[in-house]
Short mmCIF file of all heavy atoms in Angstrom, two decimals:
data_model
loop_
_atom_site.label_atom_id
_atom_site.label_comp_id
_atom_site.label_asym_id
_atom_site.label_seq_id
_atom_site.Cartn_x
_atom_site.Cartn_y
_atom_site.Cartn_z
N MET Z 1 170.40 51.87 202.70
CA MET Z 1 169.61 52.87 201.92
C MET Z 1 168.34 53.19 202.56
O MET Z 1 167.60 52.27 202.95
CB MET Z 1 169.40 52.35 200.53
CG MET Z 1 168.52 53.21 199.68
SD MET Z 1 168.43 52.78 197.92
CE MET Z 1 167.41 51.32 197.97
N GLY Z 2 168.02 54.50 202.79
CA GLY Z 2 166.77 54.86 203.35
C GLY Z 2 165.66 55.07 202.40
O GLY Z 2 165.89 54.93 201.16
N LYS Z 3 164.54 55.44 202.87
CA LYS Z 3 163.40 55.68 202.01
C LYS Z 3 162.82 57.08 202.34
O LYS Z 3 162.86 57.53 203.44
CB LYS Z 3 162.26 54.68 202.26
CG LYS Z 3 162.68 53.24 201.94
CD LYS Z 3 161.57 52.32 202.26
CE LYS Z 3 162.01 50.92 201.86
NZ LYS Z 3 160.94 49.87 202.14
N ALA Z 4 162.46 57.81 201.26
CA ALA Z 4 161.89 59.20 201.45
C ALA Z 4 160.63 59.21 200.64
O ALA Z 4 160.61 59.16 199.42
CB ALA Z 4 162.90 60.21 201.00
N TYR Z 5 159.47 59.18 201.37
CA TYR Z 5 158.16 59.22 200.73
C TYR Z 5 157.54 60.53 200.93
O TYR Z 5 157.50 61.05 202.10
CB TYR Z 5 157.25 58.12 201.34
CG TYR Z 5 157.76 56.70 201.07
CD1 TYR Z 5 157.35 55.68 201.85
CD2 TYR Z 5 158.66 56.40 200.05
CE1 TYR Z 5 157.76 54.33 201.63
CE2 TYR Z 5 159.09 55.11 199.82
CZ TYR Z 5 158.64 54.07 200.61
OH TYR Z 5 158.99 52.79 200.38
N TYR Z 6 156.96 61.12 199.92
CA TYR Z 6 156.28 62.43 199.95
C TYR Z 6 154.95 62.28 199.31
O TYR Z 6 154.76 61.82 198.22
CB TYR Z 6 157.17 63.42 199.12
CG TYR Z 6 158.55 63.55 199.60
CD1 TYR Z 6 159.52 62.75 199.01
CD2 TYR Z 6 158.91 64.41 200.58
CE1 TYR Z 6 160.85 62.88 199.41
CE2 TYR Z 6 160.21 64.59 200.93
CZ TYR Z 6 161.25 63.80 200.39
OH TYR Z 6 162.54 63.85 200.81
N ASP Z 7 153.93 62.71 200.12
CA ASP Z 7 152.52 62.63 199.68
C ASP Z 7 152.00 63.97 199.68
O ASP Z 7 152.02 64.70 200.73
CB ASP Z 7 151.73 61.78 200.66
CG ASP Z 7 152.22 60.31 200.77
OD1 ASP Z 7 152.43 59.69 199.70
OD2 ASP Z 7 152.49 59.87 201.89
N ILE Z 8 151.43 64.38 198.56
CA ILE Z 8 150.82 65.72 198.38
C ILE Z 8 149.38 65.58 198.94
O ILE Z 8 148.63 64.65 198.58
CB ILE Z 8 150.73 66.17 196.96
CG1 ILE Z 8 152.11 66.07 196.27
CG2 ILE Z 8 150.11 67.58 196.80
CD1 ILE Z 8 153.22 66.78 196.97
N VAL Z 9 149.06 66.38 199.96
CA VAL Z 9 147.74 66.41 200.63
C VAL Z 9 147.17 67.77 200.71
O VAL Z 9 147.87 68.78 200.74
CB VAL Z 9 147.87 65.74 202.06
CG1 VAL Z 9 148.35 64.30 201.96
CG2 VAL Z 9 148.78 66.55 202.88
N GLY Z 10 145.85 67.79 200.73
CA GLY Z 10 145.22 69.07 200.91
C GLY Z 10 143.77 69.16 200.32
O GLY Z 10 143.15 68.24 200.00
N THR Z 11 143.36 70.43 200.18
CA THR Z 11 142.06 70.73 199.61
C THR Z 11 142.29 71.76 198.48
O THR Z 11 143.38 72.10 198.22
CB THR Z 11 141.17 71.38 200.68
OG1 THR Z 11 141.79 72.59 201.15
CG2 THR Z 11 140.91 70.38 201.81
N ASP Z 12 141.18 72.31 197.94
CA ASP Z 12 141.28 73.14 196.81
C ASP Z 12 142.18 74.45 197.01
O ASP Z 12 142.81 74.91 196.14
CB ASP Z 12 139.89 73.69 196.28
CG ASP Z 12 139.21 72.54 195.63
OD1 ASP Z 12 139.81 71.62 195.16
OD2 ASP Z 12 137.94 72.65 195.58
N ASP Z 13 142.16 74.96 198.24
CA ASP Z 13 142.91 76.18 198.51
C ASP Z 13 144.11 76.03 199.49
O ASP Z 13 144.75 77.06 199.75
CB ASP Z 13 141.90 77.25 199.06
CG ASP Z 13 141.27 76.83 200.32
OD1 ASP Z 13 141.33 75.68 200.68
OD2 ASP Z 13 140.62 77.72 200.95
N SER Z 14 144.42 74.88 199.96
CA SER Z 14 145.53 74.72 200.91
C SER Z 14 146.15 73.32 200.70
O SER Z 14 145.45 72.30 200.92
CB SER Z 14 145.09 74.87 202.30
OG SER Z 14 146.18 74.74 203.17
N TRP Z 15 147.45 73.32 200.29
CA TRP Z 15 148.07 72.09 200.03
C TRP Z 15 149.34 71.91 200.86
O TRP Z 15 149.93 72.94 201.21
CB TRP Z 15 148.42 71.89 198.57
CG TRP Z 15 147.14 71.76 197.70
CD1 TRP Z 15 146.46 72.80 197.16
CD2 TRP Z 15 146.55 70.54 197.45
NE1 TRP Z 15 145.34 72.19 196.51
CE2 TRP Z 15 145.46 70.83 196.63
CE3 TRP Z 15 146.82 69.19 197.71
CZ2 TRP Z 15 144.56 69.90 196.15
CZ3 TRP Z 15 145.92 68.23 197.22
CH2 TRP Z 15 144.84 68.52 196.41
N GLY Z 16 149.77 70.71 201.14
CA GLY Z 16 151.02 70.49 201.94
C GLY Z 16 151.66 69.23 201.42
O GLY Z 16 151.17 68.55 200.55
N VAL Z 17 152.84 68.96 201.92
CA VAL Z 17 153.52 67.73 201.63
C VAL Z 17 153.64 66.92 202.93
O VAL Z 17 154.25 67.43 203.94
CB VAL Z 17 154.97 68.01 201.07
CG1 VAL Z 17 155.74 66.80 200.71
CG2 VAL Z 17 154.86 69.06 199.81
N ARG Z 18 153.23 65.75 202.93
CA ARG Z 18 153.39 64.84 204.11
C ARG Z 18 154.66 64.03 203.88
O ARG Z 18 154.71 63.24 202.97
CB ARG Z 18 152.15 63.95 204.27
CG ARG Z 18 152.25 63.10 205.52
CD ARG Z 18 151.00 62.33 205.81
NE ARG Z 18 150.50 61.55 204.71
CZ ARG Z 18 149.21 61.49 204.32
NH1 ARG Z 18 148.32 62.09 205.07
NH2 ARG Z 18 148.85 60.83 203.33
N HIS Z 19 155.54 64.14 204.83
CA HIS Z 19 156.82 63.42 204.80
C HIS Z 19 156.99 62.84 206.27
O HIS Z 19 156.93 63.63 207.21
CB HIS Z 19 158.00 64.30 204.45
CG HIS Z 19 159.30 63.73 204.48
ND1 HIS Z 19 159.65 62.61 203.74
CD2 HIS Z 19 160.37 63.89 205.27
CE1 HIS Z 19 160.92 62.27 203.94
NE2 HIS Z 19 161.37 63.03 204.92
N ASP Z 20 157.24 61.57 206.35
CA ASP Z 20 157.39 60.87 207.67
C ASP Z 20 156.13 61.13 208.45
O ASP Z 20 156.09 61.41 209.70
CB ASP Z 20 158.63 61.33 208.46
CG ASP Z 20 159.92 60.94 207.77
OD1 ASP Z 20 159.94 59.96 207.07
OD2 ASP Z 20 160.87 61.66 208.00
N ASN Z 21 154.96 61.08 207.79
CA ASN Z 21 153.64 61.28 208.44
C ASN Z 21 153.31 62.64 209.04
O ASN Z 21 152.39 62.82 209.75
CB ASN Z 21 153.40 60.17 209.52
CG ASN Z 21 153.21 58.84 208.88
OD1 ASN Z 21 152.56 58.76 207.84
ND2 ASN Z 21 153.71 57.77 209.50
N ASP Z 22 154.19 63.62 208.77
CA ASP Z 22 153.99 65.00 209.15
C ASP Z 22 153.75 65.92 207.96
O ASP Z 22 154.51 66.06 207.12
CB ASP Z 22 155.26 65.53 209.90
CG ASP Z 22 155.50 64.83 211.26
OD1 ASP Z 22 154.50 64.44 211.89
OD2 ASP Z 22 156.73 64.55 211.60
N PRO Z 23 152.50 66.51 207.95
CA PRO Z 23 152.23 67.47 206.86
C PRO Z 23 153.05 68.73 207.09
O PRO Z 23 153.15 69.21 208.15
CB PRO Z 23 150.79 67.74 207.01
CG PRO Z 23 150.26 66.89 208.12
CD PRO Z 23 151.35 66.26 208.73
N VAL Z 24 153.67 69.12 205.95
CA VAL Z 24 154.62 70.26 206.07
C VAL Z 24 154.26 71.26 204.99
O VAL Z 24 153.90 70.84 203.81
CB VAL Z 24 156.08 69.79 205.93
CG1 VAL Z 24 157.04 71.05 205.88
CG2 VAL Z 24 156.51 68.88 206.91
N GLY Z 25 154.32 72.56 205.29
CA GLY Z 25 154.08 73.61 204.25
C GLY Z 25 152.67 73.96 204.08
O GLY Z 25 151.76 73.32 204.50
N ASP Z 26 152.54 75.04 203.45
CA ASP Z 26 151.15 75.64 203.09
C ASP Z 26 151.30 76.21 201.74
O ASP Z 26 151.83 77.36 201.58
CB ASP Z 26 150.78 76.69 204.17
CG ASP Z 26 149.36 77.18 203.94
OD1 ASP Z 26 148.56 76.49 203.19
OD2 ASP Z 26 149.06 78.23 204.43
N TYR Z 27 150.85 75.53 200.72
CA TYR Z 27 150.97 75.96 199.36
C TYR Z 27 149.57 76.22 198.75
O TYR Z 27 148.65 75.56 199.09
CB TYR Z 27 151.61 74.84 198.57
CG TYR Z 27 153.01 74.47 199.10
CD1 TYR Z 27 153.13 73.45 199.99
CD2 TYR Z 27 154.12 75.27 198.84
CE1 TYR Z 27 154.39 73.15 200.49
CE2 TYR Z 27 155.36 74.97 199.28
CZ TYR Z 27 155.49 73.90 200.22
OH TYR Z 27 156.65 73.55 200.71
N ALA Z 28 149.52 77.17 197.85
CA ALA Z 28 148.29 77.65 197.29
C ALA Z 28 147.65 76.68 196.24
O ALA Z 28 146.50 76.65 195.91
CB ALA Z 28 148.43 79.07 196.71
N SER Z 29 148.58 75.79 195.66
CA SER Z 29 148.06 74.87 194.68
C SER Z 29 148.75 73.49 194.88
O SER Z 29 149.79 73.37 195.50
CB SER Z 29 148.43 75.38 193.27
OG SER Z 29 149.79 75.32 193.06
N LYS Z 30 148.11 72.50 194.29
CA LYS Z 30 148.65 71.17 194.31
C LYS Z 30 150.04 71.14 193.58
O LYS Z 30 151.02 70.50 194.01
CB LYS Z 30 147.70 70.26 193.65
CG LYS Z 30 148.11 68.70 193.73
CD LYS Z 30 147.22 67.82 192.89
CE LYS Z 30 145.76 68.06 192.95
NZ LYS Z 30 145.02 67.05 192.22
N GLU Z 31 150.11 71.91 192.47
CA GLU Z 31 151.35 71.99 191.65
C GLU Z 31 152.47 72.48 192.47
O GLU Z 31 153.61 72.07 192.38
CB GLU Z 31 151.06 72.78 190.39
CG GLU Z 31 150.17 72.18 189.45
CD GLU Z 31 148.63 72.38 189.77
OE1 GLU Z 31 148.34 73.07 190.78
OE2 GLU Z 31 147.82 71.81 189.09
N ALA Z 32 152.24 73.56 193.24
CA ALA Z 32 153.28 74.16 194.09
C ALA Z 32 153.80 73.17 195.16
O ALA Z 32 154.99 73.13 195.41
CB ALA Z 32 152.76 75.46 194.78
N ALA Z 33 152.89 72.45 195.75
CA ALA Z 33 153.34 71.45 196.71
C ALA Z 33 154.14 70.35 196.08
O ALA Z 33 155.14 69.92 196.62
CB ALA Z 33 152.08 70.88 197.42
N PHE Z 34 153.76 69.93 194.88
CA PHE Z 34 154.56 68.97 194.16
C PHE Z 34 155.89 69.52 193.86
O PHE Z 34 156.91 68.70 193.95
CB PHE Z 34 153.75 68.66 192.76
CG PHE Z 34 154.59 67.72 191.90
CD1 PHE Z 34 154.72 66.40 192.21
CD2 PHE Z 34 155.22 68.25 190.76
CE1 PHE Z 34 155.49 65.50 191.36
CE2 PHE Z 34 155.92 67.37 189.95
CZ PHE Z 34 156.05 66.04 190.27
N GLU Z 35 155.99 70.73 193.40
CA GLU Z 35 157.34 71.28 193.14
C GLU Z 35 158.26 71.28 194.35
O GLU Z 35 159.44 70.97 194.24
CB GLU Z 35 157.23 72.70 192.55
CG GLU Z 35 156.67 72.68 191.12
CD GLU Z 35 156.34 74.06 190.63
OE1 GLU Z 35 156.60 75.00 191.43
OE2 GLU Z 35 155.84 74.15 189.51
N ALA Z 36 157.64 71.61 195.53
CA ALA Z 36 158.45 71.53 196.85
C ALA Z 36 158.89 70.04 197.10
O ALA Z 36 160.00 69.91 197.60
CB ALA Z 36 157.59 72.09 197.89
N ALA Z 37 157.99 69.16 196.85
CA ALA Z 37 158.30 67.72 197.05
C ALA Z 37 159.44 67.30 196.18
O ALA Z 37 160.33 66.57 196.61
CB ALA Z 37 157.12 66.83 196.90
N VAL Z 38 159.47 67.70 194.99
CA VAL Z 38 160.49 67.30 193.96
C VAL Z 38 161.86 67.85 194.42
O VAL Z 38 162.89 67.21 194.43
CB VAL Z 38 160.15 67.85 192.58
CG1 VAL Z 38 161.37 67.71 191.65
CG2 VAL Z 38 158.91 67.08 192.04
N LEU Z 39 161.83 69.08 195.01
CA LEU Z 39 163.13 69.70 195.52
C LEU Z 39 163.67 68.85 196.66
O LEU Z 39 164.86 68.53 196.75
CB LEU Z 39 162.95 71.16 195.95
CG LEU Z 39 162.73 72.11 194.73
CD1 LEU Z 39 162.42 73.53 195.35
CD2 LEU Z 39 163.95 72.17 193.89
N ALA Z 40 162.73 68.47 197.59
CA ALA Z 40 163.16 67.71 198.69
C ALA Z 40 163.61 66.29 198.24
O ALA Z 40 164.64 65.73 198.73
CB ALA Z 40 161.98 67.58 199.74
N ALA Z 41 162.88 65.74 197.27
CA ALA Z 41 163.24 64.39 196.80
C ALA Z 41 164.62 64.34 196.08
O ALA Z 41 165.37 63.45 196.15
CB ALA Z 41 162.19 63.91 195.77
N THR Z 42 164.97 65.50 195.41
CA THR Z 42 166.25 65.64 194.75
C THR Z 42 167.37 65.43 195.73
O THR Z 42 168.39 64.76 195.47
CB THR Z 42 166.36 67.00 194.08
OG1 THR Z 42 165.30 67.05 193.08
CG2 THR Z 42 167.72 67.13 193.36
N ASN Z 43 167.29 66.05 196.94
CA ASN Z 43 168.30 65.93 197.91
C ASN Z 43 168.29 64.50 198.49
O ASN Z 43 169.33 63.94 198.74
CB ASN Z 43 168.05 66.88 199.09
CG ASN Z 43 168.40 68.31 198.71
OD1 ASN Z 43 169.27 68.51 197.91
ND2 ASN Z 43 167.68 69.19 199.29
N ALA Z 44 167.16 63.84 198.64
CA ALA Z 44 167.06 62.49 199.11
C ALA Z 44 167.78 61.59 198.12
O ALA Z 44 168.48 60.62 198.56
CB ALA Z 44 165.64 62.07 199.36
N ILE Z 45 167.59 61.74 196.86
CA ILE Z 45 168.28 60.98 195.78
C ILE Z 45 169.77 61.07 195.89
O ILE Z 45 170.49 60.08 195.75
CB ILE Z 45 167.76 61.30 194.45
CG1 ILE Z 45 166.31 60.87 194.24
CG2 ILE Z 45 168.65 60.70 193.31
CD1 ILE Z 45 165.60 61.44 193.01
N LYS Z 46 170.22 62.31 196.21
CA LYS Z 46 171.63 62.51 196.25
C LYS Z 46 172.33 61.63 197.41
O LYS Z 46 173.47 61.28 197.37
CB LYS Z 46 171.99 63.96 196.52
CG LYS Z 46 171.74 64.86 195.35
CD LYS Z 46 172.05 66.30 195.60
CE LYS Z 46 171.68 67.16 194.39
NZ LYS Z 46 171.90 68.60 194.74
N PHE Z 47 171.46 61.45 198.51
CA PHE Z 47 171.97 60.64 199.60
C PHE Z 47 171.67 59.15 199.38
O PHE Z 47 171.99 58.36 200.32
CB PHE Z 47 171.31 61.10 200.89
CG PHE Z 47 171.82 62.40 201.35
CD1 PHE Z 47 171.06 63.59 201.25
CD2 PHE Z 47 173.08 62.54 201.93
CE1 PHE Z 47 171.51 64.81 201.65
CE2 PHE Z 47 173.58 63.79 202.34
CZ PHE Z 47 172.86 64.95 202.15
N GLY Z 48 171.15 58.77 198.23
CA GLY Z 48 170.98 57.40 197.96
C GLY Z 48 169.67 56.74 198.35
O GLY Z 48 169.54 55.49 198.31
N HIS Z 49 168.72 57.53 198.76
CA HIS Z 49 167.49 57.08 199.28
C HIS Z 49 166.55 56.64 198.17
O HIS Z 49 166.60 57.24 197.04
CB HIS Z 49 166.71 58.06 200.14
CG HIS Z 49 167.53 58.53 201.36
ND1 HIS Z 49 167.87 57.67 202.39
CD2 HIS Z 49 167.99 59.77 201.74
CE1 HIS Z 49 168.50 58.28 203.33
NE2 HIS Z 49 168.57 59.52 202.97
N GLU Z 50 165.67 55.71 198.41
CA GLU Z 50 164.58 55.32 197.59
C GLU Z 50 163.58 56.48 197.73
O GLU Z 50 163.37 56.95 198.83
CB GLU Z 50 163.95 54.06 197.99
CG GLU Z 50 162.66 53.66 197.28
CD GLU Z 50 161.99 52.45 197.80
OE1 GLU Z 50 162.75 51.58 198.42
OE2 GLU Z 50 160.81 52.38 197.70
N VAL Z 51 163.00 56.97 196.59
CA VAL Z 51 162.08 58.11 196.67
C VAL Z 51 160.75 57.77 196.01
O VAL Z 51 160.66 57.10 195.01
CB VAL Z 51 162.76 59.32 195.95
CG1 VAL Z 51 161.65 60.45 195.81
CG2 VAL Z 51 163.99 59.81 196.67
N ARG Z 52 159.73 58.18 196.69
CA ARG Z 52 158.33 58.05 196.09
C ARG Z 52 157.60 59.40 196.34
O ARG Z 52 157.63 59.94 197.51
CB ARG Z 52 157.61 56.90 196.83
CG ARG Z 52 156.19 56.72 196.22
CD ARG Z 52 155.39 55.78 196.99
NE ARG Z 52 155.07 56.39 198.36
CZ ARG Z 52 154.64 55.75 199.42
NH1 ARG Z 52 154.58 54.47 199.39
NH2 ARG Z 52 154.33 56.42 200.45
N ILE Z 53 156.97 59.86 195.30
CA ILE Z 53 156.09 61.09 195.45
C ILE Z 53 154.74 60.63 194.93
O ILE Z 53 154.55 60.16 193.83
CB ILE Z 53 156.59 62.22 194.58
CG1 ILE Z 53 158.00 62.65 195.02
CG2 ILE Z 53 155.61 63.47 194.71
CD1 ILE Z 53 158.68 63.69 194.19
N THR Z 54 153.68 60.96 195.79
CA THR Z 54 152.35 60.63 195.32
C THR Z 54 151.52 61.88 195.29
O THR Z 54 151.64 62.76 196.18
CB THR Z 54 151.57 59.61 196.20
OG1 THR Z 54 151.62 60.03 197.49
CG2 THR Z 54 152.31 58.24 196.18
N VAL Z 55 150.65 61.98 194.31
CA VAL Z 55 149.81 63.10 194.09
C VAL Z 55 148.40 62.70 193.84
O VAL Z 55 148.21 61.86 192.89
CB VAL Z 55 150.30 64.05 192.90
CG1 VAL Z 55 149.43 65.31 192.78
CG2 VAL Z 55 151.72 64.43 193.08
N PRO Z 56 147.42 63.08 194.59
CA PRO Z 56 146.03 62.61 194.37
C PRO Z 56 145.50 63.25 193.07
O PRO Z 56 145.82 64.38 192.67
CB PRO Z 56 145.34 63.14 195.62
CG PRO Z 56 146.05 64.35 196.00
CD PRO Z 56 147.49 64.09 195.75
N GLY Z 57 144.58 62.45 192.47
CA GLY Z 57 143.96 62.91 191.26
C GLY Z 57 142.83 63.93 191.71
O GLY Z 57 142.51 64.01 192.82
N SER Z 58 142.16 64.54 190.73
CA SER Z 58 141.14 65.53 191.05
C SER Z 58 139.91 64.87 191.66
O SER Z 58 139.07 65.55 192.38
CB SER Z 58 140.75 66.38 189.89
OG SER Z 58 141.10 65.94 188.70
N ASP Z 59 139.69 63.59 191.41
CA ASP Z 59 138.44 62.95 191.95
C ASP Z 59 138.73 62.25 193.28
O ASP Z 59 137.92 61.48 193.76
CB ASP Z 59 137.85 62.02 190.95
CG ASP Z 59 138.78 60.83 190.59
OD1 ASP Z 59 140.06 60.98 190.86
OD2 ASP Z 59 138.39 59.87 189.97
N SER Z 60 139.97 62.45 193.85
CA SER Z 60 140.28 61.82 195.09
C SER Z 60 139.42 62.22 196.23
O SER Z 60 139.12 63.38 196.38
CB SER Z 60 141.72 62.05 195.37
OG SER Z 60 142.09 61.42 196.71
N SER Z 61 139.08 61.30 197.18
CA SER Z 61 138.34 61.65 198.34
C SER Z 61 139.22 61.77 199.55
O SER Z 61 138.74 61.82 200.67
CB SER Z 61 137.28 60.61 198.61
OG SER Z 61 137.88 59.34 198.79
N GLU Z 62 140.56 61.86 199.35
CA GLU Z 62 141.46 62.02 200.52
C GLU Z 62 141.41 63.48 200.97
O GLU Z 62 141.45 64.39 200.18
CB GLU Z 62 142.84 61.59 200.12
CG GLU Z 62 143.81 61.62 201.24
CD GLU Z 62 145.13 61.01 200.88
OE1 GLU Z 62 145.19 59.78 200.62
OE2 GLU Z 62 146.08 61.75 200.88
N THR Z 63 141.48 63.63 202.30
CA THR Z 63 141.44 64.95 202.88
C THR Z 63 142.87 65.27 203.21
O THR Z 63 143.81 64.56 203.11
CB THR Z 63 140.57 64.99 204.10
OG1 THR Z 63 141.22 64.17 205.14
CG2 THR Z 63 139.21 64.54 203.88
N ALA Z 64 143.10 66.50 203.80
CA ALA Z 64 144.45 66.95 204.24
C ALA Z 64 145.04 66.06 205.32
O ALA Z 64 146.21 66.00 205.42
CB ALA Z 64 144.27 68.41 204.75
N LEU Z 65 144.21 65.30 206.01
CA LEU Z 65 144.69 64.40 206.98
C LEU Z 65 144.91 63.01 206.48
O LEU Z 65 145.28 62.16 207.20
CB LEU Z 65 143.76 64.41 208.25
CG LEU Z 65 143.59 65.72 209.00
CD1 LEU Z 65 142.64 65.67 210.07
CD2 LEU Z 65 144.92 66.17 209.55
N GLY Z 66 144.64 62.79 205.20
CA GLY Z 66 144.76 61.44 204.62
C GLY Z 66 143.67 60.52 204.96
O GLY Z 66 143.74 59.34 204.77
N VAL Z 67 142.56 61.00 205.40
CA VAL Z 67 141.42 60.21 205.73
C VAL Z 67 140.43 60.11 204.54
O VAL Z 67 140.07 61.12 203.96
CB VAL Z 67 140.66 60.74 206.98
CG1 VAL Z 67 139.40 59.91 207.23
CG2 VAL Z 67 141.54 60.83 208.08
N VAL Z 68 140.16 58.90 204.13
CA VAL Z 68 139.24 58.74 203.01
C VAL Z 68 137.82 58.86 203.55
O VAL Z 68 137.44 58.13 204.48
CB VAL Z 68 139.47 57.33 202.33
CG1 VAL Z 68 138.48 57.18 201.26
CG2 VAL Z 68 140.80 57.24 201.77
N THR Z 69 137.06 59.66 202.85
CA THR Z 69 135.59 59.85 203.28
C THR Z 69 134.73 59.17 202.29
O THR Z 69 135.06 58.97 201.08
CB THR Z 69 135.36 61.36 203.33
OG1 THR Z 69 135.53 61.97 202.06
CG2 THR Z 69 136.18 62.04 204.41
N ASN Z 70 133.57 58.82 202.76
CA ASN Z 70 132.58 58.14 201.85
C ASN Z 70 131.40 59.01 201.54
O ASN Z 70 130.95 59.78 202.35
CB ASN Z 70 132.08 56.83 202.46
CG ASN Z 70 133.17 55.82 202.56
OD1 ASN Z 70 134.11 55.81 201.77
ND2 ASN Z 70 133.13 54.89 203.55
#
């Protein structure tokens, strides 16, 4: 069984989905990126993979590259 991890990453006006450490897509909202990740995760589930989707909260300091800033 494989693993399929999807991380929603971005800023206020540009969001993407990081899968296998590669950011993919250009979405106008965090919600749109999440919906895209759910569609991809649905296919992964059909193939029997373990699935994880993470979405940062509004107070997160993570940037589009996944780097935490202080």
Side-chain angles (χ1 to χ4, degrees):
M1 174 172 72
K3 296 179 181 181
Y5 296 158
Y6 304 91
D7 300 308
I8 309 306
V9 294
T11 60
D12 288 338
D13 58 351
S14 179
W15 291 90
V17 179
R18 185 172 50 220
H19 175 63
D20 293 336
N21 291 321
D22 293 325
V24 178
D26 184 19
Y27 303 95
S29 69
K30 186 189 317 184
E31 293 82 2
F34 174 75
E35 290 171 0
V38 168
L39 289 175
T42 299
N43 287 328
I45 290 169
K46 289 179 185 176
F47 288 107
H49 298 298
E50 173 186 335
V51 171
R52 180 189 73 197
I53 300 173
T54 58
V55 181
S58 19
D59 63 345
S60 176
S61 59
E62 185 171 295
T63 68
L65 298 177
V67 177
V68 177
T69 58
N70 293 331

